[in-house]
Amino acid sequence: MAFHRAPKPKPKSARSPILLLVAAVTAIALLFLFSSLLSTTSTKPSLFQRRQQHFEKYLYWGNRIDCPGKHCGSCEGLGHQESSLRCALEEAIFLGRTFVMPSRMCINPIHNKKGILHHSPNASSEELWDGSSCAMDSLYDTELMSGTVPVIFDNSKEWYRVLSTSMKLGTRGVEHVEGVSRFKLKENRRYSDLLLINRTASPLSWFMECKDRNNRSSIMLPYSFLPSMAAGKLREAAEKIKALLGDYDAIHVRRGDKIKIRKDRFGVARSLHPHLDRDTRPEFIICRIAKWVPAGRTLFIASNERTPGFFSSLSARYRLAYSSNYSHILDPLIENNYQLFMIERLIMMGAKTFIRTFKEDETDLSLTDDPKKNTKLWQIPVYNADETC
């Protein structure tokens, strides 16, 4: 009798689990790649991502630049306040902390003609402050700034959260410091472990905390940092004007607030910048810049000189342009002269050749060789030419 053997079952392939594993890994890799592509195409970080850019510890210098101190009530100009603000930002970088920035900046009446400084005689101190200051976010883009040094405003919800948390942490929460070097704040755990450092800076000016700025290797932020951090609407206005100017050069002529004359006890006129009045007059400007700016070029002029037509004689050699030529762009936007100067500054920074009044750096081109820093040496003004053109 013939016996029929039952067919043996086929053994399962040993490669099947391996293939499944490879397929799963491939799928996960593709998913990760796809999500990465999506994240790189995003132009604006999410709120969570922006918060992650902030350090977990904070540095606070006060709710007004240069306060308390000799310049708190008088309110210095934009350049002075930016020097102080830049110093505070540099310390935040050095300490690895988020800087708590004042939400408003005072505006010196000398530097404003937009009419925001009309006060009621019965106004409170806070109302006077609001009327003689502007919102910091109307001047600077803090989101852009936070890409270099994380900042929050002192009127933000995050700041109030930090204050609340610091009170709960006791000795690890907050400490007021004055006269302590930034190196000690970083190295001494008494300070480095704190959630919040509340610093009272030099009563002379905040920037006095950066006394070693003459040591170039110690400077963390260049002079151009804050000018390049202008608020988005100011940057947009500057770009529109730059497009209309085309290929151009620029000069910044600082006169009004720097040309100070006083008489000594013998009645002789003296100045802290003895050549400035001469060097910023049109006949001397045209001689000075001839070697840098060829005839026929468009020359954008930013100046605090208030005499109408003061620079008009330069038109014999150059096509002159001023911010006032673009009032259709600026008038709906500008609320104070700080905003106007920040736009002018962006325009000047975009010029093919930019000539400052004073040198900020050794490589700068300048209208005068007088030092910008106050030497406190009153000298007899010089008006005769040192050399012929």
Side-chain angles (χ1 to χ4, degrees):
M1 181 182 291
F3 291 92
H4 298 281
R5 295 182 181 178
K8 292 182 179 179
K10 288 185 178 181
K12 291 182 179 179
S13 171
R15 291 180 297 173
S16 298
I18 296 174
L19 290 172
L20 288 172
L21 181 61
V22 170
V25 170
T26 304
I28 292 170
L30 289 171
L31 183 61
F32 180 79
L33 178 62
F34 180 69
S35 64
S36 298
L37 288 171
L38 284 178
S39 65
T40 55
T41 55
S42 174
T43 57
K44 212 168 189 179
S46 66
L47 177 62
F48 174 76
Q49 288 171 321
R50 292 200 299 272
R51 283 187 177 276
Q52 291 301 98
Q53 293 173 359
H54 289 178
F55 297 123
E56 295 178 355
K57 297 175 182 178
Y58 298 81
L59 176 67
Y60 178 68
W61 278 36
N63 66 344
R64 301 184 190 182
I65 295 175
D66 288 336
C67 291
K70 62 178 284 190
H71 296 297
C72 184
S74 60
C75 179
E76 291 298 305
L78 178 64
H80 181 111
Q81 292 189 73
E82 283 192 334
S83 292
S84 287
L85 184 57
R86 191 166 62 247
C87 178
L89 291 169
E90 285 184 352
E91 181 163 287
I93 294 174
F94 183 79
L95 299 178
R97 290 175 173 268
T98 292
F99 181 64
V100 184
M101 183 181 291
S103 56
R104 299 189 71 83
M105 177 183 281
C106 72
I107 300 180
N108 191 310
I110 296 174
H111 301 285
N112 187 72
K113 62 180 182 182
K114 299 297 290 187
I116 70 165
L117 302 174
H118 298 301
H119 303 140
S120 165
N122 300 318
S124 67
S125 60
E126 285 304 314
E127 289 172 332
L128 288 172
W129 168 242
D130 288 343
S132 60
S133 63
C134 63
M136 195 73 81
D137 60 4
S138 72
L139 301 176
Y140 302 104
D141 184 338
T142 54
E143 190 171 316
L144 181 64
M145 195 181 296
S146 290
T148 301
V149 47
V151 294
I152 61 171
F153 284 127
D154 66 1
N155 64 350
S156 64
K157 290 182 179 178
E158 183 165 357
W159 171 232
Y160 294 121
R161 179 185 62 77
V162 172
L163 287 176
S164 176
T165 304
S166 68
M167 294 176 185
K168 297 174 184 176
L169 291 175
T171 56
R172 294 185 299 108
V174 59
E175 183 164 340
H176 170 260
V177 300
E178 186 172 0
V180 181
S181 73
R182 63 177 55 173
F183 298 98
K184 189 173 182 179
L185 293 178
K186 185 173 185 177
E187 301 300 331
N188 191 324
R189 293 197 63 179
R190 171 187 170 185
Y191 305 112
S192 62
D193 289 346
L194 292 168
L195 172 68
L196 172 63
I197 292 176
N198 177 16
R199 175 190 275 286
T200 294
S202 169
L204 298 176
S205 280
W206 279 10
F207 62 68
M208 292 301 292
E209 298 294 340
C210 298
K211 292 177 183 177
D212 59 346
R213 289 194 68 83
N214 289 330
N215 175 11
R216 306 301 297 178
S217 63
S218 72
I219 298 177
M220 298 178 180
L221 294 173
Y223 171 82
S224 60
F225 176 71
L226 284 172
S228 64
M229 295 293 119
K233 63 180 182 179
L234 305 184
R235 297 199 309 273
E236 289 172 12
E239 288 301 319
K240 289 178 182 177
I241 294 173
K242 284 160 64 176
L244 293 172
L245 283 168
D247 184 23
Y248 66 97
D249 304 297
I251 57 173
H252 179 214
V253 189
R254 191 169 176 182
R255 286 181 54 82
D257 63 323
K258 283 292 184 181
I259 300 176
K260 295 178 180 178
I261 303 290
R262 77 177 186 187
K263 291 184 178 181
D264 62 19
R265 60 195 180 96
F266 302 107
V268 178
R270 294 182 177 273
S271 172
L272 290 172
H273 303 92
H275 302 90
L276 181 62
D277 190 12
R278 179 199 69 180
D279 292 344
T280 54
R281 292 176 180 269
E283 60 270 29
F284 286 90
I285 290 175
I286 205 166
C287 181
R288 176 86 168 189
I289 71 174
K291 54 183 174 289
W292 302 318
V293 183
R297 295 276 296 168
T298 296
L299 184 66
F300 179 81
I301 301 175
S303 178
N304 60 356
E305 173 57 53
R306 297 186 177 183
T307 305
F310 185 81
F311 300 105
S312 58
S313 61
L314 292 173
S315 62
R317 184 176 176 88
Y318 302 109
R319 294 192 298 271
L320 305 184
Y322 307 88
S323 58
S324 57
N325 299 140
Y326 306 97
S327 56
H328 63 289
I329 296 173
L330 298 176
D331 283 355
L333 176 69
I334 298 300
E335 299 171 352
N336 56 68
N337 274 14
Y338 282 7
Q339 290 179 322
L340 175 60
F341 180 63
M342 290 183 77
I343 292 175
E344 289 181 329
R345 197 163 55 178
L346 289 170
I347 296 169
M348 291 187 286
M349 289 167 64
K352 182 178 180 180
T353 301
F354 173 31
I355 304 164
R356 305 176 186 273
T357 303
F358 303 96
K359 284 189 176 184
E360 298 286 351
D361 192 89
E362 285 302 315
T363 59
D364 289 339
L365 303 177
S366 65
L367 295 176
T368 184
D369 293 323
D370 284 353
K372 181 180 179 181
K373 298 298 182 184
N374 189 344
T375 61
K376 297 184 179 180
L377 179 62
W378 291 85
Q379 303 175 60
I380 298 174
V382 177
Y383 290 98
N384 58 302
D386 293 333
E387 55 185 40
T388 57
C389 289

